[in-house]
Amino acid sequence: MARKITSEYGQAVFNLPWLVAQEEGLFADEGLEVEFVRGRERDSHLAAETDPLQVDPFWRHAPFEEQAAQVFNACEWGQIRRSDESRVNGQIVSMRPAVVSQGIFVRPDSPITHPQDLRNKTVAVNFHAGSHYLTLQMLEGFMDREDIKVVHLGQARVRYRAMMDGEVDAAALMEPYIALAEKNGCNLIIEAHYAGSEMAAPDIDAATFEAVNRALRKAVRLINADKRK
């Protein structure tokens, strides 16, 4: 009988190996039945919040804390915080297969041209996620921490829209919004890569997650062999 695993469905930029492993039958080959559940899908948690302490680190990943999902991946730094605050004893069990990049963009008509120009300018992020921590990391080399004005607006589509509408000065974006921003003439100010990690519930034993990882490693090899597919 296949071991059933419930995983939170994430954006393809982060979850592609999971999706490929499912579609190509790689989980089934490992004796696993994987079911995906949706994370919280809403435009924002708190409008233009500036205090990270006012935003629940699990706001986007509620199914895990509600025990509707056993596994999910997210930004490495956010996962460290979540592992400390999880009420269901979630544990970091591995690094996420996908290493992605995020960039800080401004509107085509913005006078901002380099990172120093972002001093005391609002940058839309998603608190406790890659856009939040990577923005701090990217800008700390150019200004004091108190001069970095990150604003929580939730998911990337909301951050992009707020930037284009002039509600914020800049937005931290990942794919596919990097491609959209470039297509629409936005200017990239700075960009960097960041890692993520997988969090699992205590009932996922080591042997089971090693089977998950074998399937994910096979999926990564398939992706790298034919990225267009």
Side-chain angles (χ1 to χ4, degrees), residues 100-116:
V100 299
S101 66
Q102 201 142 168
I104 299 177
F105 282 83
V106 297
R107 294 182 301 280
D109 61 347
S110 173
I112 295 170
T113 58
H114 54 281
Q116 292 91 326

Side-chain angles (χ1 to χ4, degrees), residues 5-11 14-15 18 34-40 56-97 128-129 196-202 204 209 212 216:
I5 302 293
T6 307
S7 176
E8 181 184 298
Y9 179 90
Q11 299 171 87
F14 304 122
N15 256 35
W18 280 83
V34 174
E35 177 186 355
F36 292 105
V37 298
R38 291 277 179 177
R40 181 164 290 155
D56 179 2
F58 284 95
W59 82 269
R60 178 67 178 83
H61 306 287
F64 185 82
E65 287 294 276
E66 295 167 357
Q67 299 182 299
Q70 298 167 292
V71 184
F72 76 101
N73 67 63
C75 151
E76 183 180 12
W77 308 295
Q79 294 291 64
I80 291 170
R81 175 167 185 149
R82 293 183 192 97
S83 68
D84 183 61
E85 297 189 12
S86 175
R87 298 183 300 275
V88 297
N89 298 317
Q91 303 172 34
I92 295 172
V93 292
S94 72
M95 296 299 289
R96 179 173 63 193
H128 315 303
S197 55
E198 302 274 357
M199 182 174 287
I204 302 293
F209 204 80
V212 170
L216 293 178

Side-chain angles (χ1 to χ4, degrees), residues 118-124 145-151:
L118 289 168
R119 184 178 284 108
N120 291 315
K121 301 295 185 182
T122 52
V123 182
R145 173 64 75 87
E146 57 266 26
D147 295 329
I148 303 173
K149 304 301 181 185
V150 288
V151 178

Side-chain angles (χ1 to χ4, degrees), residues 177-195:
Y177 291 92
I178 287 176
L180 179 64
E182 291 177 340
K183 177 182 178 181
N184 290 330
C186 297
N187 294 315
L188 174 64
I189 303 302
I190 188 170
E191 185 176 12
H193 289 86
Y194 64 106

